């Protein structure tokens, strides 16, 4: 009898804190999405009005599409490049630690710092990018990367990709080290080429890691806030607006708390799909 | 053999180029911050400063000093507390089977991925109601709690390596839940504490959203927020801003340089599956 209680008591404090500070606010936000509230007076219950407005809101769709673009690019570049670099570094390489440390290093910088650096790189007059393009004779390609609605989003995503790749690389490296070398050796003896080894042995064995990487990458891309906030504040003309930032600006700049909450709920529901996938993968991994 | 050598050279080339690519912005950061304002111009981007100037630094430091201290006041307690709690949680969740343990764990993980925007207003209200809104202690509290999922996860992953036979034997010998922790798990936890410390230190230091919404007056703000304010000013003195960025990045960089080896080793051994 006593044994059943004791673990719960151990966890009681963090559990209580967690319920108050994480679970309850989530539920409260759901409630708020059905109200209209300016943060000062009391919330007015308005049912599904916020959601009705949402479905007709062009800015919402713009932000959603931007999130989608972010997601796709995040899946394409950091994942592919990260895997490639991990494959290289899992072999016998001199200075491997140095390479790993350098490639991972962007992750230790605050996103706001990275946003600042890249804003500077993207400066139309005198920024590193335009300067380099001019220097190698491609002056025609120079432009205001962050001020041009066509390129702004990709410029911001670029900075985020630059940061995220090292992290993906490390995750894949961890997954690769768990693949037993005897399997690889056996396949070499059997005469498999490098590509065949990769495609038919390594890739399938990497599946659990790949799932984790994809889920984390997707969740990270949906959370993107710091970069947008630092580099463009959602502009120009909402071309870099994403759900996480739109929600923030509606709630804390325009004082439309109820509407901001509705956006938050949508964002949360989208994330929930990936969170569920992640949990499922962890459970599967544990059962093995 | 020639083919292999060729292969090898290409590999190293790719790796070197990649490393450079990821390090260039840092080079730029360092180089710019040591320049005088008039040197930070269109044509001299790449160049090392002709005169080594600390002007950018001193100005940035003057403006950011209080915020730098705020960040320290925030990060050190928050890291310590969330690590200790994570260790305890991870211990219980990995070695004590009880009803609801798995649901509990799932619930915790879920908290790790909640978009912070989704819970921002209730958080603001709760903090206001207990009088902690706009202050560093309030931020500490928030970061400790929101750090629980990831620290619990990291410790749990680490502790599952410990054979259950060990805890069973200790239980048979009459040891209670806390003494097993104290005498078996705690002593071997150093590597995971290192990883968790570094992870939490870095993430809490770098965090921006909570920092910007949960503190009000500039005097109370952590350095990440102060940096954005610095950058938002009218006349863009790039050398000051870059110096500010370095000051912001320096603590995490130092931690990484000193402990990075253990950190990456810990990450690779699976402390973080996420």
């Amino acid at each position: 009898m006593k044994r059943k209680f004791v673990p719960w008591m151990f966890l009681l404090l963090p559990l209580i804190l967690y319920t108050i500070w994480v679970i309850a606010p989530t539920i409260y936000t759901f409630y708020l999405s059905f109200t209209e509230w300016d943060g000062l007076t009391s919330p007015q219950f308005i049912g599904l009005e916020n959601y009705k407005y949402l479905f007709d809101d062009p800015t919402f769709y713009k932000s959603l599409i931007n999130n989608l673009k972010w997601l796709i690019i995040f899946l394409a570049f950091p994942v592919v490049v990260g895997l490639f670099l991990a494959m290289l570094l899992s072999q016998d390489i001199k200075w491997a630690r140095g390479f790993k440390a350098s490639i991972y290093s962007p992750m230790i910088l605050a996103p706001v710092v990275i946003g600042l650096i890249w804003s500077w790189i993207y400066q139309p007059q005198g920024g590193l990018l335009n300067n380099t393009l001019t220097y190698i004779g491609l002056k025609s390609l120079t432009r205001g990367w962050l001020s041009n609605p066509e390129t702004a989003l990709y410029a911001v995503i670029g900075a985020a990709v630059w940061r995220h790749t090292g992290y993906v690389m490390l995750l894949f490296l961890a997954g690769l080290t768990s693949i037993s070398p005897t399997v690889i050796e056996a396949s070499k003896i059997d005469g498999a080429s490098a590509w065949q080894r990769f495609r038919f042995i390594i890739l399938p064995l990497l599946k659990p890691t790949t799932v984790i990487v994809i889920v984390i990458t997707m969740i990270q891309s949906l959370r993107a806030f710091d970069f947008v906030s630092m580099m463009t504040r959602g502009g120009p003309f909402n071309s870099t607006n994403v759900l996480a930032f739109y929600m923030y600006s509606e709630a804390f700049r325009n004082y439309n708390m109820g509407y901001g909450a509705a956006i938050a709920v949508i964002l949360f529901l989208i994330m929930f799909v990936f969170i569920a996938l992640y949990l499922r993968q962890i459970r599967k991994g544990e059962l093995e | 053999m020639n083919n292999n050598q060729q292969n090898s050279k290409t590999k190293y080339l790719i790796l070197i180029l990649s490393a450079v690519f990821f390090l260039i912005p840092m080079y730029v950061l360092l180089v710019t911050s040591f320049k005088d304002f008039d040197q930070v111009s269109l044509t001299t981007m790449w160049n090392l400063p002709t005169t080594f100037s600390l002007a950018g630094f001193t100005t940035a430091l003057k403006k950011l000093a209080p915020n730098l201290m705020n960040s320290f006041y925030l990060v050190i307690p928050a890291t310590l507390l969330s690590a200790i709690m994570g260790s305890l949680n991870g211990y219980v969740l990995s070695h004590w089977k009880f009803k609801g343990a798995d649901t509990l764990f799932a619930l915790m993980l879920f908290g790790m991925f909640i978009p912070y925007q989704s819970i921002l207003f209730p958080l603001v209200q709760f903090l206001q109601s207990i009088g902690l809104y706009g202050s560093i202690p309030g931020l500490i509290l928030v970061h400790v709690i929101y750090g629980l999922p990831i620290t619990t996860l990291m410790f749990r992953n680490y502790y599952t390596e410990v054979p259950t036979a060990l805890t069973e034997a200790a239980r048979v010998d009459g040891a209670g839940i806390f003494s097993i922790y104290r005498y078996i798990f705690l002593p071997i936890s150093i590597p995971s504490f290192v990883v968790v410390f570094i992870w939490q230190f870095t993430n809490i230091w770098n965090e921006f959203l909570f920092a910007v919404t949960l503190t009000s007056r500039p005097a109370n703000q952590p350095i990440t927020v102060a940096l954005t304010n610095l950058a938002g000013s009218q006349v863009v003195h790039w050398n000051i801003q870059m110096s500010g960025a370095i000051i912001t990045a320096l603590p995490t960089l130092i931690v990484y340089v000193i402990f990075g080896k253990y950190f990456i080793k810990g990450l690779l051994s699976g402390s973080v599956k996420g």
Side-chain angles (χ1 to χ4, degrees):
Chain A
M1 265 304 106
K2 194 170 158 209
R3 202 199 280 178
K4 288 216 180 100
F5 266 135
V6 174
W8 278 97
M9 278 181 355
F10 220 70
L11 294 174
L12 204 58
L13 180 63
L15 203 61
I16 292 179
L17 289 174
Y18 194 71
T19 313
I20 302 179
W21 294 88
V22 179
I23 309 290
T26 313
I27 301 176
Y28 189 61
T29 302
F30 271 80
Y31 159 70
L32 271 184
S33 69
F34 297 118
T35 68
E36 180 175 346
W37 188 37
D38 60 6
L40 291 172
T41 56
S42 34
Q44 304 285 352
F45 188 76
I46 54 169
L48 292 172
E49 281 306 306
N50 282 327
Y51 292 100
K52 285 201 201 137
Y53 187 82
L54 197 99
F55 284 123
D56 281 326
D57 182 4
T59 314
F60 171 72
Y61 286 109
K62 195 100 207 256
S63 309
L64 190 61
I65 293 181
N66 286 344
N67 269 119
L68 223 77
K69 289 184 185 170
W70 198 302
L71 210 92
I72 295 175
I73 297 180
F74 246 44
L75 280 178
F77 287 106
V79 175
V80 171
V81 174
L83 178 57
F84 179 65
L85 289 172
M87 287 295 301
L88 279 182
L89 284 169
S90 65
Q91 296 160 13
D92 203 5
I93 299 269
K94 271 196 294 204
W95 318 307
R97 219 168 54 196
F99 285 124
K100 287 178 200 168
S102 315
I103 299 174
Y104 184 74
S105 59
M107 278 297 284
I108 54 166
L109 295 177
V112 294
V113 168
I114 295 178
L116 186 64
I117 297 178
W118 280 86
S119 298
W120 192 66
I121 293 180
Y122 287 134
Q123 281 288 300
Q125 300 287 30
L128 194 63
L129 185 57
N130 279 352
N131 268 30
T132 316
L133 285 173
T134 316
Y135 189 71
I136 60 176
L138 287 172
K139 190 171 174 133
S140 54
L141 283 182
T142 65
R143 66 197 62 219
W145 300 94
L146 290 175
S147 52
N148 185 337
E150 307 254 314
T151 53
L153 182 65
Y154 301 105
V156 175
I157 298 179
V161 165
W162 176 79
R163 184 174 191 259
H164 190 66
T165 306
Y167 183 44
V168 170
M169 178 197 72
L170 270 196
L171 286 174
F172 273 126
L173 267 173
L176 284 172
T177 49
S178 67
I179 296 182
S180 103
T182 38
V183 177
I184 312 275
E185 280 308 312
S187 67
K188 276 192 194 160
I189 293 176
D190 280 349
S193 72
W195 173 249
Q196 284 174 321
R197 281 203 303 275
F198 177 71
R199 175 119 165 48
F200 297 110
I201 299 186
I202 297 183
L203 216 49
L205 284 176
L206 261 188
K207 184 153 164 286
T209 312
T210 313
V211 173
I212 300 260
V213 165
I214 291 183
V215 171
I216 289 179
T217 302
M218 291 189 147
I219 292 178
Q220 286 296 81
S221 74
L222 286 172
R223 278 175 119 177
F225 171 81
D226 302 20
F227 287 105
V228 173
S229 180
M230 180 56 151
M231 293 172 90
T232 57
R233 290 193 155 68
F237 307 118
N238 280 325
S239 57
T240 57
N241 209 350
V242 288
L243 289 177
F245 189 77
Y246 187 35
M247 192 232 113
Y248 173 79
S249 56
E250 277 301 299
F252 292 94
R253 304 273 177 82
N254 299 344
Y255 298 108
N256 287 332
M257 302 281 191
Y259 190 56
I263 303 174
V265 167
I266 302 281
L267 183 61
F268 178 76
L269 289 175
I270 300 177
M271 286 255 234
F272 190 71
V273 173
F274 298 113
I275 298 176
L277 278 170
Y278 174 81
L279 289 177
R280 224 178 100 225
Q281 185 58 39
I282 292 257
R283 295 291 229 92
K284 251 204 289 190
E286 309 246 308
L287 290 174
E288 276 159 23
Chain B
M1 267 308 109
N2 210 3
N3 201 13
N4 263 347
Q5 283 179 335
Q6 191 69 326
N7 248 342
S8 210
K9 281 206 192 111
T10 338
K11 280 187 204 159
Y12 278 102
L13 190 61
I14 296 178
L15 283 173
I16 294 178
L17 286 176
S18 306
V20 167
F21 174 67
F22 287 102
L23 287 176
I24 283 188
M26 270 204 234
Y27 164 79
V28 155
L29 189 68
L30 280 166
V31 154
T32 313
S33 56
F34 286 122
K35 288 180 176 169
D36 260 329
F37 179 53
D38 44 0
Q39 282 187 15
V40 183
S41 72
L42 322 105
T43 45
T44 59
M45 216 57 40
W46 287 105
N47 306 2
L48 294 167
T50 48
T51 48
F52 191 76
S53 159
L54 285 177
F57 261 117
T58 39
T59 327
L61 200 56
K62 246 189 299 201
K63 295 201 176 154
L64 294 177
N67 306 98
L68 187 65
M69 294 318 294
N70 284 341
S71 283
F72 277 117
Y73 293 144
L74 164 66
V75 174
I76 295 179
T79 303
L80 283 171
L81 284 172
S82 62
I84 294 175
M85 289 181 100
S87 173
L88 290 170
N89 290 348
Y91 158 63
V92 174
L93 286 174
S94 62
H95 276 258
W96 291 79
K97 296 297 164 227
F98 54 98
K99 217 162 28 158
D102 281 336
T103 345
L104 205 61
F105 184 52
L107 211 61
M108 287 221 135
L109 282 190
F110 163 94
M112 194 159 83
F113 294 124
I114 287 184
Y116 289 170
Q117 289 82 0
S118 301
I119 41 85
L120 222 38
F121 337 100
L123 212 56
V124 169
Q125 284 204 299
F126 285 10
L127 280 176
Q128 278 173 333
S129 65
I130 57 176
L132 281 181
Y133 175 74
S135 69
I136 293 289
L139 256 186
I140 295 179
L141 186 57
V142 170
H143 276 297
V144 167
I145 297 178
Y146 277 87
L148 279 180
I150 185 68
T151 55
T152 306
L153 178 67
M154 288 168 104
F155 275 110
R156 184 177 179 276
N157 285 348
Y158 184 74
Y159 288 146
T160 45
E161 303 284 306
V162 176
T164 41
L166 205 57
T167 29
E168 280 305 316
R171 284 230 291 257
V172 164
D173 279 350
I177 188 172
F178 192 70
S179 23
I180 297 184
Y181 176 74
R182 167 86 180 71
Y183 295 107
I184 299 184
F185 285 84
L186 194 55
I188 58 151
S189 300
I190 309 281
S192 58
F193 265 107
V194 171
V195 175
V196 170
F197 275 152
I198 296 177
W199 183 267
Q200 282 299 83
F201 184 91
T202 309
N203 285 349
I204 301 178
W205 184 276
N206 290 343
E207 201 275 335
F208 180 67
L209 181 63
F210 281 153
V212 81
T213 26
L214 301 179
T215 58
S216 41
R217 291 173 299 131
N220 281 351
Q221 290 171 336
I223 199 168
T224 38
V225 186
L227 185 66
T228 32
N229 292 340
L230 198 68
S233 37
Q234 283 297 65
V235 180
V236 170
H237 287 279
W238 285 108
N239 61 336
I240 298 181
Q241 289 190 26
M242 289 300 169
S243 305
I246 290 213
I247 296 174
T248 310
L250 212 52
T252 46
L253 267 173
I254 293 179
V255 165
Y256 186 61
V257 164
I258 300 181
F259 298 108
K261 186 170 67 177
Y262 307 107
F263 180 58
I264 295 201
K265 202 157 58 147
L267 282 185
L268 286 179
S269 68
S271 284
V272 183
K273 293 208 186 94

